[in-house]
Amino acid sequence: MKQFTSTLANKLPLQRLRSIQGIGAPFIVLATLGMIVLPMPPFLLDMMFSFNIALAMVVLLVTIYTRRPLDFAAFPTVLLVATLLRLALNVASTRVVLLRGHEGDGAAGQVIEAFGNVVIGGNYAVGMVVFLILMIINFMVVTKGAGRISEVSARFTLDALPGKQMAIDADLNAGLIDQEQARLRRFEVTKEADFYGSMDGASKFVKGDAIAGILILFINIIGGLSIGIAQYGLPFGEAMQIYTLLTIGDGLVAQIPSLLLSIGAAIMVTRQNTEEDMGEAMVSQMFDSPKALSITAGILFIMGIIPGMPHFAFLLFALLAGGAAYWKIRKQKEQEEKTEAMALEPVEPPKPKELSWDDVQPVDIIGLEVGYRLITLVDREQGGELLERVKGVRKKLSQDFGFLIPPVHIRDNLELPPNGYRIMLMGVACGEAEIRPDQELAINPGQVYGPLEGEHTRDPAFGLEAVWIRGPQQEHAQALGYTVVDAATVLATHMSQVLTNHAAQLLGHEEVQNLMEMLGRSAPKLVENFIPDQVPLGAVVKTLQNLLHEHIPIRDIRTIVQTLAEYAPKSQDPDILTAAVRIALKRMIVQEINGISPEVPVITLTPELEQLLHKTMQASGGESTGIEPGLAERMQQSLMEATQKQELQGEPAILLTSGVLRSTLAKFVKNTIPSIRVLSYQEIPDEKQIRIVHAVGN
């Protein structure tokens, strides 16, 4: 209890401090409105003028010592609040000057009196000249230049925003950064665009403030003369002396903070995104060249010895520049001698480093190696679209299969042909081909109306006849019935086909665990104690891999887990669990193959052949290699003919058999007839009608 009380006591001052900080900006805004509406005594006016000057100095120093513009992202808002505060002070001081100016110099406050008498020596003509010079410096030089830089910076920053976002996505896809780093970099890019856009608008505040200062000066002088002569009966010379000095003092009090803020805005928009403050950057970049310092010292020395010139000033700075140049040259020479000495010293051979697990680099799950001529497809700056295509392939396959496809790591390989590429899975090449990055591939879909001139080849994804053509031939090829795609699409399609055929290898324990966590958020009771109490994680992984191996998506993970939980007490065999899950997913499986048609065209085995296969499987322990070679060849030929007939009619090829034979026959036809799908009788939904289109006998 005592420890809790102590902790609470330590937190309360921090909370009070945060609450006090939070009311600062609203207090300034309310004070600004009060100064515009309510009359202010001279003492309070002096306090506010002093606060305004202090605020401008703090803002200027913060801009000088800020290392990056985004470190002071609140600067546009601070600039607006400070400008409004200064304009409100102008209104309040104008009211005091016009109402009480006839009483004497101190009637409008000591700050205005000091700037009117001390700074400009009590001479209103000198004060007018000094004020106009300050206005010209502020308006024509600092504000105008800062406004132009703000406008250009905002334009270029906004134009570069899409490219920076795409570069972040490219690094994320290539595995150079993770999701958290990508999120932070996107936030930085958006924050930078917002900052420069705000600075473009904030520069208009400074410009408007400078114009308002000139107008307020003349309005106050004319108003003061009118009031002093007409209302208080002052002579023209005395009224001119009193009101002009007070007005110029008031203007100088307001314009000095305005000039400081204008300089701060100019410094902020001219800063680079480096880790140095302004002082460090200027010293390191301006005075780092001894040659420039030596030439400057020589010119100043010549000017200093010319008769009639101020010898002391020029010779003093010539001596300082020459000394700095000598010091820099000596320092560089010492550094060179030190480097040469280190190079001449005998270098002890490094001790052999002890091997560790860090020296064992894991293979990439998915890798893409490209020849040097294909680097243009990867480089965004050269118009490469491959990264976007690969990202699209990953997204599409992740949605189709129901789990996140791992990132693709792309690297160049000089051992490949210049136009070649290689798709790697777990460090093993699973596909390679050559493409032409400056040409397009015209693919023959099966029926075209004429030949094409070009380099004849085959589509690497599906093995279709194709021709590499130039850009001007594209419309002619499409008119002949060819499908024309660019090189990046050819590679992306090939990768999509390879990943589809090897989807089971991409699913591991980590991915399955993530699937369980995702399901646990929507169905926590179902996942609770599922792994490992009911089913081991390895059995779940193997079951899901079996489904993917036969191109069955695992999107409906809820149904899969429910089925596994139901059948787990009966058997832990992944093959038996796979068969049970297939039956549970039968509607989705049939829909993936045949769509929503109520009738399912199937190829069946004759009862005699099916009975023979049952006996053969029992004798060989369930292996398809136990089928007599002659019978296997006749079955394969008949199934191939039936499959081709179904494809010509635009219908899927489905082999329907018993549940005992389904797995064996699926393995039998997988490599020889990959387009045929093998289903068991239990996997046909009750509402579907079966239409037998062919019966395979022995």
Side-chain angles (χ1 to χ4, degrees):
M1 182 66 184
K2 188 177 295 183
Q3 183 179 2
F4 173 76
T5 306
S6 175
T7 305
L8 183 61
N10 292 332
K11 289 183 177 179
L12 285 176
L14 295 176
Q15 294 175 353
R16 293 194 189 100
L17 181 60
R18 292 193 184 100
S19 63
I20 293 173
Q21 292 175 345
I23 65 174
F27 175 76
I28 292 177
V29 174
L30 292 176
T32 301
L33 296 177
M35 286 187 288
I36 294 175
V37 176
L38 303 174
M40 294 181 61
F43 174 76
L44 186 57
L45 196 61
D46 290 344
M47 296 297 295
M48 294 305 298
F49 274 129
S50 302
F51 171 75
N52 189 29
I53 295 173
L55 176 64
M57 293 178 64
V58 169
V59 172
L60 176 61
L61 292 175
V62 170
T63 59
I64 291 175
Y65 290 107
T66 297
R67 295 184 177 272
R68 299 188 309 138
L70 293 183
D71 293 341
F72 195 15
F75 181 70
T77 305
V78 173
L79 196 61
L80 171 61
V81 173
T83 302
L84 293 177
L85 176 62
R86 189 167 54 256
L87 293 175
L89 280 172
N90 276 331
V91 175
S93 62
T94 297
R95 184 188 297 112
V96 173
V97 167
L98 296 181
L99 289 176
R100 306 180 60 178
H102 64 283
E103 299 176 3
D105 293 343
Q110 295 181 2
V111 174
I112 293 178
E113 180 186 6
F115 274 82
N117 292 325
V118 178
V119 177
I120 60 177
N123 191 324
Y124 62 83
V126 175
M128 182 71 72
V129 173
V130 171
F131 180 82
L132 291 177
I133 290 175
L134 282 177
M135 294 301 300
I136 291 172
I137 293 173
N138 189 8
F139 180 67
M140 297 300 295
V141 180
V142 181
T143 304
K144 190 173 183 179
R148 179 58 178 165
I149 294 174
S150 298
E151 180 182 353
V152 174
S153 299
R155 183 180 304 169
F156 280 98
T157 301
L158 293 175
D159 290 342
L161 183 60
K164 292 180 180 179
Q165 296 281 12
M166 294 170 64
I168 294 172
D169 293 339
D171 291 344
L172 179 61
N173 291 333
L176 301 177
I177 57 176
D178 56 21
Q179 290 285 353
E180 182 64 21
Q181 292 173 321
R183 186 186 65 80
L184 292 176
R185 286 176 56 176
R186 290 192 191 98
F187 176 74
E188 286 288 331
V189 169
T190 306
K191 189 176 178 182
E192 182 182 15
D194 293 341
F195 173 78
Y196 284 108
S198 300
M199 282 301 301
D200 186 25
S203 63
K204 305 299 187 295
F205 300 149
V206 181
K207 182 178 180 181
D209 181 33
I211 297 174
I214 299 175
L215 297 177
I216 291 172
L217 174 71
F218 290 107
I219 291 173
N220 284 352
I221 292 176
I222 295 172
L225 289 175
S226 301
I227 293 174
I229 295 172
Q231 293 186 10
Y232 301 111
L234 297 176
F236 178 80
E238 184 180 355
M240 188 71 177
Q241 177 75 17
I242 293 174
Y243 287 103
T244 303
L245 282 177
L246 291 176
T247 301
I248 292 175
D250 178 27
L252 289 175
V253 171
Q255 285 307 309
I256 289 177
S258 175
L259 180 61
L260 294 179
L261 288 177
S262 299
I263 296 173
I267 291 174
M268 185 61 68
V269 297
T270 55
R271 289 298 306 275
Q272 302 289 326
N273 278 314
T274 62
E275 291 300 325
E276 295 179 322
D277 59 39
M278 189 186 73
E280 293 175 353
M282 290 181 62
V283 171
S284 62
Q285 297 176 25
M286 285 185 60
F287 303 108
D288 196 48
S289 173
K291 183 183 294 184
L293 293 172
S294 301
I295 295 174
T296 301
I299 294 173
L300 291 175
F301 178 77
I302 293 173
M303 294 179 67
I305 62 176
I306 295 176
M309 297 294 286
H311 307 296
F312 177 76
F314 282 108
L315 293 178
L316 174 63
F317 285 106
L319 180 63
L320 292 176
Y326 174 76
W327 180 75
K328 292 294 295 185
I329 292 173
R330 184 175 178 181
K331 187 176 180 181
Q332 290 181 359
K333 187 176 294 185
E334 290 178 355
Q335 185 66 29
E336 292 175 358
E337 291 176 355
K338 185 177 180 180
T339 304
E340 292 177 358
M342 292 177 62
L344 294 176
E345 290 180 359
V347 180
E348 296 182 2
K351 296 180 180 180
K353 181 183 176 182
E354 191 67 28
L355 290 177
S356 66
W357 282 106
D358 294 334
D359 297 310
V360 181
Q361 297 295 328
V363 297
D364 296 331
I365 299 177
I366 306 175
L368 175 62
E369 299 178 352
V370 297
Y372 67 86
R373 287 184 185 170
L374 302 186
I375 295 178
T376 55
L377 296 177
V378 183
D379 189 359
R380 292 180 183 276
E381 297 182 358
Q382 302 184 44
E385 300 179 353
L386 184 58
L387 292 176
E388 287 298 319
R389 301 292 175 83
V390 170
K391 181 180 178 181
V393 167
R394 290 184 59 220
K395 183 176 181 180
K396 177 68 166 56
L397 294 181
S398 298
Q399 293 172 347
D400 289 345
F401 292 140
F403 70 96
L404 181 63
I405 301 297
V408 179
H409 290 179
I410 304 176
R411 59 173 59 91
D412 60 327
N413 186 349
L414 297 179
E415 297 180 359
L416 290 174
N419 292 324
Y421 67 87
R422 180 180 297 155
I423 302 171
M424 312 284 289
L425 292 181
M426 313 298 179
V428 179
C430 294
E432 59 182 356
E434 292 190 33
I435 56 178
R436 305 290 180 262
D438 56 343
Q439 299 182 29
E440 295 180 330
L441 186 65
I443 303 173
N444 183 352
Q447 183 179 3
V448 294
Y449 303 101
L452 281 175
E453 295 183 359
E455 180 184 350
H456 289 267
T457 183
R458 287 192 173 273
D459 168 40
F462 304 102
L464 300 176
E465 295 181 356
V467 183
W468 286 107
I469 61 173
R470 299 288 178 180
Q473 297 177 268
Q474 179 178 355
E475 294 184 0
H476 176 61
Q478 291 175 339
L480 293 178
Y482 286 88
T483 301
V484 182
V485 294
D486 57 19
T489 303
V490 173
L491 197 158
T493 305
H494 190 191
M495 174 171 287
S496 176
Q497 188 65 20
V498 170
L499 297 182
T500 300
N501 293 336
H502 298 82
Q505 298 181 26
L506 305 178
L507 184 75
H509 288 66
E510 190 70 25
E511 289 75 16
V512 173
Q513 189 63 47
N514 291 332
L515 284 174
M516 294 299 105
E517 293 176 0
M518 183 178 66
L519 178 61
R521 290 193 288 268
S522 59
K525 290 298 181 182
L526 178 60
V527 178
E528 185 179 0
N529 300 326
F530 175 69
I531 296 176
D533 294 348
Q534 298 181 15
V535 185
L537 180 59
V540 178
V541 173
K542 183 60 178 176
T543 301
L544 297 180
Q545 288 177 343
N546 289 342
L547 295 173
L548 293 171
H549 190 67
E550 297 194 36
H551 305 289
I552 298 175
I554 57 174
R555 295 191 301 267
D556 189 4
I557 190 66
R558 182 190 183 100
T559 301
I560 294 174
V561 172
Q562 285 177 341
T563 307
L564 292 177
E566 179 182 351
Y567 278 83
K570 303 176 184 178
S571 175
Q572 299 284 323
D573 187 355
D575 292 335
I576 296 176
L577 294 176
T578 302
V581 172
R582 286 180 59 96
I583 295 174
L585 298 176
K586 58 185 178 182
R587 287 183 174 82
M588 184 187 70
I589 294 174
V590 173
Q591 181 172 313
E592 290 279 338
I593 300 173
N594 195 45
I596 60 174
S597 175
E599 191 176 66
V600 182
V602 299
I603 304 168
T604 62
L605 304 178
T606 60
E608 295 81 6
L609 177 58
E610 194 162 304
Q611 187 66 25
L612 177 61
L613 290 176
H614 273 287
K615 294 179 180 179
T616 304
M617 294 300 106
Q618 292 175 359
S620 62
E623 295 293 334
S624 59
T625 54
I627 303 176
E628 191 270 325
L631 175 61
E633 184 177 354
R634 292 194 300 273
M635 283 179 55
Q636 181 178 336
Q637 185 65 30
S638 298
L639 289 173
M640 191 175 297
E641 293 175 357
T643 300
Q644 293 174 353
K645 186 182 297 183
Q646 288 296 100
E647 290 177 349
L648 291 176
Q649 294 178 358
E651 294 183 342
I654 303 173
L655 176 60
L656 189 63
T657 183
S658 65
V660 178
L661 295 177
R662 196 215 64 80
S663 177
T664 302
L665 291 178
K667 297 176 183 178
F668 175 71
V669 301
K670 180 174 179 57
N671 296 324
T672 56
I673 318 173
S675 58
I676 193 171
R677 301 292 293 273
V678 183
L679 302 180
S680 67
Y681 298 117
Q682 294 86 353
E683 294 172 0
I684 302 296
D686 297 336
E687 66 273 13
K688 298 290 185 180
Q689 298 293 325
I690 296 176
R691 175 167 57 89
I692 300 176
V693 296
H694 188 78
V696 177
N698 56 2

